Amino acid sequence: VEPPRHSTFSSIKELSDSGVRCDSLKQLASVSTDVTFAQEFISRDGHLLLVKIVEDSNEVPLIMTHTLTGFMELMDHGIVSWENLSAEFIKKVSFVNAKAMDASIQQVSLAILESMVLSSSSLFQLVKQEVTMERLLSHLQVTNQQIQTKAMALLMALLQTAGDADRQNIIHSSASVGDEMAHYLYVLQSVTLNHLELRMRMPLDSYNQDQREILHNLRQAAFETESENSLSNERRRSLCAKEFKKLGFSNNSNPGQDLLRTPPGLLALDTMSYFASRYPDAYSRFVLENSSREDKHECPFARGSIQLTLILCEILRIGEPPSETGSNYHPIFFSQDRLLEELFCVCIQLVNKTWKEMRATQEDFDKVMQVVREQITRTLSSKPTSLELFKNKVNALNYSEILKLRQTERLHQEETLAPPVLELKERLKPELLELIRQQRLNRLCQGTLFRKISSRRRQDKLWYCRLSPNHKVLHFGDVEEETETPAIEGLQEKIPVADIKALLTGKDCPHMKENKGKQTKEVLDLAFSITYDVEEYSLNFIASSRIDFCLWTDGLSVLLGRDMSSECMRSELEILLSMEIKLRLLDLENVPIPDNAPPVPKPPSNYNFCYDFSQTEQ
């Protein structure tokens, strides 16, 4: 191994031919990942030779790329400190600050600068001087995703090391980003939003004149009050308390008490003040609209604002340090200054809208805020790229839509809409329909008591009808009031099932046609008839209840070889299917059911894997 390493070192140091130097440096970049080689190379001051090549900057772009790549690989082993690098080297590496260079040089230069920034605070200051933020941000707008990612990594290093930096609009396209870039965007979002944590953790100070003045400005902006200076102290306090109550503060005599809870602390005061100053018309409309409602139906602005600010802090994860693997960023963050405040201005109006849709009272406050949280979360999960798009989507997602989504998700959660479950339902349906058919026939065999309705509207005559056990004959006849279940032999009349021609219901029945216009809708819904003997004769029924009507029309349909069609049958089938599905899926609890069956693996190349029992063990 030793001779090639020495050969590589010598060719870099001594040979003047650019082609040989290029090949040697390319080989160096490849073998520098080996720590043993790196130790030997650095012990011979090989890394200083690379530094010299960079400082001279007389090489063609390809040789410079291999030089920087090899240098980066050597430094990654941690054998030599970054602190030993000269300012001249840093200046030369900062190609990103100069005119457009070769893309491969830009990538490795950005990576070297990132490592410098993370290694030392003194190097951070040098890099910060050489790499302007404007130039660095311009690299985030190029089409080369590798350069974009490396530039974002350097920006993250600068932000995290400095602790503070101005956020700027760094996304100008909706193109999908890679996982690494998504992580850097997420970190930038977290670092910036966490600047609000201090206000979120700080309660209102009742002795702070500025904070008290903001509170009173909120009140004065909402109500055009008469000159308070002309009022007595007692009258002024009473007026203030009344107006703070209309604003929705729980403690109207001392509204600052509502802002002692942290979070959201002073951040809630900031968001309310921002809304009142940025959108004064919407603010006044919100307060005055609710002031005119009944006390129990008014939507409290202050209480809702405090809770909404807390919800937004939780959704945006303000105060949580960025995760090392997180990548869930919001594109809207990069297109909107003061994201929290602008989201608040949209969502506080959403609170009022949802409150009205739910017809809420003060007791429903928590339910309304839970729905609002769901509306915001669902809308942000769709990754809106602008505040206007967010506003349109969140307002379209009204309370009725939320209820529909919850119902759909509940069905999905129960696996009732998964394709394999739907297929299982179709397989179970014939068996359960047969079960319902048997139940209907058994019910007909048991028989039912019917009333006769005469033209004089007397309903004192009763008759009984039942099916024979062999399902071939219908027996019927008049019975007395006290009779419970008469025997078949006691029923004088009978009709063979084979002679039945048709089943009629409602106004098509002969006994309904005879009294056309005199029957109520209730009687029409319970009437049915069977015709026999070439439809010249009919047996007319009026069921005592809708259940009896469904049982008999279903049973007679089965006897005639037709499909059952009653609402009772559909309801019972759905209940039986649901119960049977749940029983079948008991063993699969908490196991996700895939939409499609797993692919069948390819057959083995041979089947010579059976154990041969013909050979006995020695």
Side-chain angles (χ1 to χ4, degrees):
V1 178
E2 196 65 33
R5 292 176 179 171
H6 183 69
S7 174
T8 301
F9 181 82
S10 299
S11 62
I12 295 170
K13 188 174 183 180
E14 299 168 3
L15 296 179
S16 59
D17 182 78
S18 62
V20 176
R21 288 166 70 82
C22 183
D23 291 340
S24 298
L25 285 164
K26 183 178 181 181
Q27 185 181 0
L28 172 68
S30 175
V31 299
S32 290
T33 55
D34 178 21
V35 65
T36 306
F37 173 84
Q39 289 172 340
E40 179 68 21
F41 190 78
I42 290 172
S43 70
R44 302 185 185 192
D45 293 333
H47 65 293
L48 298 179
L49 178 60
L50 300 183
V51 171
K52 184 71 167 57
I53 294 174
V54 174
E55 289 178 346
D56 292 343
S57 64
N58 296 323
E59 301 293 351
V60 296
L62 185 57
I63 290 180
M64 191 60 69
T65 300
H66 293 322
T67 302
L68 291 170
T69 304
F71 177 79
M72 183 67 183
E73 294 293 349
L74 290 171
M75 296 301 290
D76 276 349
H77 294 295
I79 301 170
V80 182
S81 172
W82 290 93
E83 296 274 5
N84 298 330
L85 297 172
S86 65
E88 180 65 21
F89 177 81
I90 296 174
K91 188 172 183 178
K92 293 294 184 180
V93 170
S94 302
F95 291 118
V96 292
N97 204 31
K99 60 183 180 180
M101 301 293 292
D102 184 80
S104 57
I105 295 180
Q106 289 179 338
Q107 288 179 42
V108 68
S109 297
L110 289 165
I112 291 173
L113 290 169
E114 179 196 1
S115 298
M116 288 180 182
V117 170
L118 294 174
S119 66
S120 161
S121 59
S122 59
L123 283 175
F124 160 73
Q125 295 297 335
L126 292 172
V127 173
K128 184 181 177 184
Q129 291 173 9
E130 296 296 333
V131 183
T132 64
M133 189 64 69
E134 290 76 11
R135 183 61 184 168
L136 182 56
L137 290 176
S138 69
H139 284 275
L140 296 169
Q141 302 173 28
V142 300
T143 55
N144 188 315
Q145 199 171 58
Q146 285 76 21
I147 292 179
Q148 204 178 37
T149 303
K150 294 297 183 186
M152 178 57 80
L154 176 55
L155 177 59
M156 290 298 96
L158 287 167
L159 283 174
Q160 290 179 319
T161 307
D164 190 19
D166 293 332
R167 178 172 60 86
Q168 300 196 26
N169 187 356
I170 64 171
I171 289 187
H172 298 278
S173 68
S174 58
S176 59
V177 297
D179 293 340
E180 190 176 1
M181 176 63 86
H183 171 68
Y184 290 137
L185 294 174
Y186 156 77
V187 172
L188 176 59
Q189 172 187 287
S190 298
V191 169
T192 307
L193 288 175
N194 279 348
H195 294 161
L196 299 169
E197 182 180 6
L198 182 62
R199 299 287 287 180
M200 184 182 75
R201 306 285 183 197
M202 186 184 298
L204 182 134
D205 182 1
S206 58
Y207 296 101
N208 187 303
Q209 182 63 32
D210 291 338
Q211 295 173 15
R212 284 163 48 197
E213 189 171 333
I214 293 174
L215 268 177
H216 283 282
N217 287 341
L218 280 173
R219 177 182 62 82
Q220 291 171 348
F223 307 102
E224 296 180 3
T225 55
E226 56 196 80
S227 177
E228 296 178 6
N229 295 329
S230 61
L231 301 175
S232 64
N233 289 337
E234 184 178 348
R235 172 64 178 158
R236 188 186 304 115
R237 282 196 298 270
S238 174
L239 179 63
C240 289
K242 181 180 178 182
E243 290 178 345
F244 276 124
K245 182 180 180 182
K246 288 183 178 180
L247 266 180
F249 284 93
S250 302
N251 193 329
N252 50 43
S253 59
N254 186 8
Q257 294 288 325
D258 288 20
L259 296 165
L260 293 179
R261 183 178 61 158
T262 56
L266 286 176
L267 199 55
L269 182 62
D270 295 341
T271 52
M272 285 189 285
S273 178
Y274 184 88
F275 177 53
S277 59
R278 182 72 186 273
Y279 304 100
D281 292 340
Y283 171 64
S284 298
R285 186 165 56 250
F286 185 112
V287 177
L288 295 177
E289 178 185 338
N290 285 284
S291 298
S292 61
R293 294 179 186 169
E294 296 180 29
D295 287 347
K296 66 176 183 177
H297 284 288
E298 61 185 23
C299 178
F301 171 75
R303 185 185 176 191
S305 297
I306 294 169
Q307 187 64 25
L308 175 61
T309 305
L310 177 60
I311 288 172
L312 289 173
C313 287
E314 291 173 351
I315 291 174
L316 297 175
R317 300 183 179 277
I318 296 175
E320 295 184 20
S323 165
E324 293 182 1
T325 59
S327 60
N328 184 24
Y329 71 94
H330 299 296
I332 190 176
F333 169 82
F334 301 98
S335 63
Q336 185 63 53
D337 291 329
R338 305 194 68 172
L339 176 66
L340 177 76
E341 291 87 343
E342 290 292 344
L343 281 180
F344 173 86
C345 293
V346 173
C347 295
I348 191 62
Q349 298 175 75
L350 175 70
V351 170
N352 190 39
K353 176 174 173 287
T354 304
W355 185 280
K356 290 187 288 187
E357 289 171 353
M358 295 177 66
R359 296 188 176 92
T361 62
Q362 295 295 329
E363 291 78 13
D364 301 320
F365 178 82
D366 291 336
K367 294 179 182 177
V368 174
M369 298 312 296
Q370 187 178 7
V371 172
V372 169
R373 177 193 288 270
E374 193 170 341
Q375 289 170 317
I376 298 171
T377 305
R378 288 181 183 275
T379 305
L380 285 177
S381 66
S382 68
K383 302 293 184 184
T385 53
S386 68
L387 187 69
E388 189 63 29
L389 193 57
F390 171 83
K391 182 178 179 180
N392 293 337
K393 285 188 174 184
V394 81
N395 283 314
L397 193 62
N398 54 35
Y399 179 56
S400 60
E401 288 296 319
I402 289 290
L403 291 179
K404 290 177 184 176
L405 288 169
R406 285 178 176 177
Q407 175 70 7
T408 303
E409 288 172 359
R410 185 184 65 80
L411 293 173
H412 275 291
Q413 190 175 6
E414 294 177 356
E415 305 292 357
T416 54
L417 295 182
V421 178
L422 294 176
E423 184 180 344
L424 178 60
K425 267 189 173 184
E426 291 303 315
R427 292 189 179 185
L428 292 173
K429 194 175 289 186
E431 178 184 343
L432 296 177
L433 279 173
E434 182 58 33
L435 181 65
I436 296 174
R437 289 191 194 97
Q438 291 302 320
Q439 187 271 340
R440 296 295 194 262
L441 293 175
N442 291 338
R443 186 66 182 79
L444 263 59
C445 291
Q446 181 182 345
T448 304
L449 191 67
F450 296 96
R451 288 187 177 274
K452 289 184 178 180
I453 297 182
S454 65
S455 58
R456 292 176 294 175
R457 296 185 179 272
R458 293 186 60 191
Q459 300 184 10
D460 53 348
K461 292 187 177 181
L462 303 173
W463 64 287
Y464 203 89
C465 185
R466 61 186 297 180
L467 180 65
S468 62
N470 60 7
H471 302 167
K472 291 185 177 181
V473 181
L474 273 177
H475 295 266
F476 63 96
D478 294 341
V479 294
E480 298 296 330
E481 182 74 38
E482 295 80 11
T483 306
E484 292 184 0
T485 304
I488 286 181
E489 295 78 11
L491 300 174
Q492 305 85 2
E493 306 290 337
K494 62 182 180 179
I495 300 174
V497 171
D499 291 346
I500 298 176
K501 305 300 180 185
L503 170 65
L504 306 174
T505 59
K507 59 184 178 181
D508 295 330
C509 299
H511 58 311
M512 294 296 106
K513 288 180 179 179
E514 292 172 2
N515 299 302
K516 189 175 182 180
K518 298 181 180 180
Q519 302 295 351
T520 63
K521 184 178 185 304
E522 182 181 357
V523 174
L524 282 172
D525 288 342
L526 298 176
F528 62 98
S529 302
I530 53 174
T531 59
Y532 56 99
D533 286 344
V534 200
E535 300 186 6
E536 293 181 4
Y537 298 96
S538 63
L539 185 61
N540 302 319
F541 301 78
I542 295 180
S544 59
S545 66
R546 189 65 187 175
I547 294 177
D548 278 347
F549 175 86
C550 293
L551 290 171
W552 271 86
T553 53
D554 283 345
L556 292 170
S557 295
V558 172
L559 290 175
L560 295 173
R562 300 175 186 171
D563 292 334
M564 298 178 290
S565 59
S566 73
E567 64 269 23
C568 292
M569 181 278 299
R570 290 190 289 270
S571 174
E572 289 169 13
L573 178 62
E574 193 59 39
I575 292 171
L576 290 172
L577 276 172
S578 176
M579 291 174 61
E580 189 66 25
I581 289 289
K582 287 178 180 177
L583 287 172
R584 298 287 184 100
L585 299 181
L586 275 178
D587 293 336
L588 296 176
E589 189 173 0
N590 298 324
V591 176
I593 300 176
D595 288 347
N596 301 311
V600 178
K602 294 180 180 179
S605 57
N606 64 73
Y607 295 89
N608 301 327
F609 45 79
C610 299
Y611 183 78
D612 189 358
F613 286 97
S614 62
Q615 297 180 358
T616 58
E617 295 183 0
Q618 297 297 330

